[in-house]
Amino acid sequence: MNRPGIAPLGMWAGLSVPVLACTWLRLEEPAPLWRPAAGLAALAVATALHRRRRPVAAFALAAAPGLAFAPALFTLSYGAALAVLAHLMGLRALTTRPALLTFAALAAAGTAKIAARQVDPTAEWLVLMATLLFGAVFPWLAGRHRRQSRELAAAGWARAEQLEREHRIVADRARLRERARIAQDMHDSLGHELSLIALRAGALQVAKDLPGPHREAAAELRAAASDATDRLHGIIGLLREEDDEPAPLAPPGETVAELVERAAASGLPVQLHGTPPPEDRTAYRVVQESLTNAAKHAPGAAVTVETTRAHNGRSSRDSQDSQDSQDSLTITVTTAGPASRARQGSTGTGTGTGTGLQALRTRVTDLGGTFEAGPHAEGFRVRATLPTIPTRSTAVPPDPRTRTPGTARAFVAAAVAGTVLTAGAFTWYAYRTTHAVLTPRAYATLPLGTPEAEAEQTLPALTISDPPVDRAPAPPPPGTDCRYYRASGELFVSVDHFRLCFAAKAPHALIDKTLIPRTGQ
């Protein structure tokens, strides 16, 4: 069995049921057999076109029987096919332009057909528009909505998978940054401690009352501490990610003031001016790296640590103003000399590599600050300016819940237009129906030969716009003008009709009276 052909065959069978039912049960005006046969053939071709991914052509072909066989597109036989293929067109068509052009073409063709029939066009045009709106546009919009929902769901799952992959990548990078953070912290802390050990060993080495063997041991201790610092720096350098973003480090256990006090207690001639912030990791890091370089490359040289705060353009070395008015913090570490020893290593020209200062420069500039390091007078100076008030964006992103989707707006517009058209069509239909009623009693009081002028006093003001000519038992007599009236004012049901034919020439007398029975009689 050809499985791909099961779905089209079943679809065609389902769309054919209303056509066969209306023909068998006579739910519509009687028609020759070639009309339902042609309609079934059109539905078969439309189903095949839909199977070949041509939904617009399939919809247009499904609308053709209703447009050809009905006065205003509305039929019980082909209404289901019109709605189903319109829905499938919205579900499978990639763009909206062909569908909109097809709707416009149907409206134009239906309007032209109504105008050519030379009957009252208002009611039929309203029925045409209502059928096109509720039977085609609404199902098409529903299909578009389903298509967009599926695409959004697929995009959401794809986005979720992408976020999951990105989350794994971020987690891996976070682990690498944590390793780099630990390595950097080891370098900062241990390197500083080893520098202080070397400084104390150097002070012990030059002590006057120290015996010779102990002096040599102190010199070896100082050299070993210096070598250990270099080896630590080299090992940690292998673990650092030069191109990665700096990892945030937790604040150290001691403040900048405590760091300076401990370095002074170890024998480093250092002084602190100003009041540094108690918990600023970057400021702590600048002072620590500068003291380490001073102890390593210029032992015995005087070191000055100075902090300056700027408040809205005003500088204050020791200001206690509110942190809200503080704009920036400047840390200056100056090594007094001698120049040759202070420059050695700190600029990267001696045993040092200068990567510590490079790391500081990167960290400070990433925060939006400035960093300077180089010879100054007879020594060396490091200056870093750190912003203390971060710039934050105050823009509020729009709430996606306040956005109205295009499909929802189209539904609202179509619903409003449909309500107006339906109300207008029903009002006009009710008015025409109730004002074109000739009661059986009035019909019986009009004998043949009654002059037209006299008969008009009994006849209603309006005639029906769509007379049931096909149900008349006999054609009207030649040379007559015929009028059609309803026998009852009931709405939306089939009723008897009266045909009155007057002579086309004077004296315009009534020459034919015919009862046209309702559908099914």
Side-chain angles (χ1 to χ4, degrees), residues 67 71 105-118 121 125 128-129:
L67 189 63
L106 287 177
T111 302
K113 179 183 176 182
I114 293 173
R117 294 184 65 225
Q118 297 182 354
W125 187 83
L128 170 67
M129 293 295 105

Side-chain angles (χ1 to χ4, degrees), residues 382-449:
V382 176
R383 173 174 291 176
T385 301
L386 304 173
T388 56
I389 299 180
T391 302
R392 298 180 180 178
S393 175
T394 59
V396 179
D399 189 351
R401 293 174 297 179
T402 62
R403 302 174 184 174
T404 304
T407 303
R409 290 196 298 267
F411 267 114
V412 172
V416 172
T419 302
V420 173
L421 288 175
T422 302
F426 176 79
T427 302
W428 185 255
Y429 170 75
Y431 177 81
R432 294 286 305 186
T433 300
T434 56
H435 287 74
V437 176
L438 179 63
T439 63
R441 179 177 298 181
Y443 175 77
T445 61
L446 294 174
L448 296 177

Side-chain angles (χ1 to χ4, degrees), residues 158-172:
R159 177 60 177 166
E161 294 177 357
Q162 180 182 359
L163 290 177
E164 185 177 356
R165 292 192 299 268
E166 292 178 355
H167 179 74
R168 290 195 296 265
I169 294 174
V170 169
D172 293 339

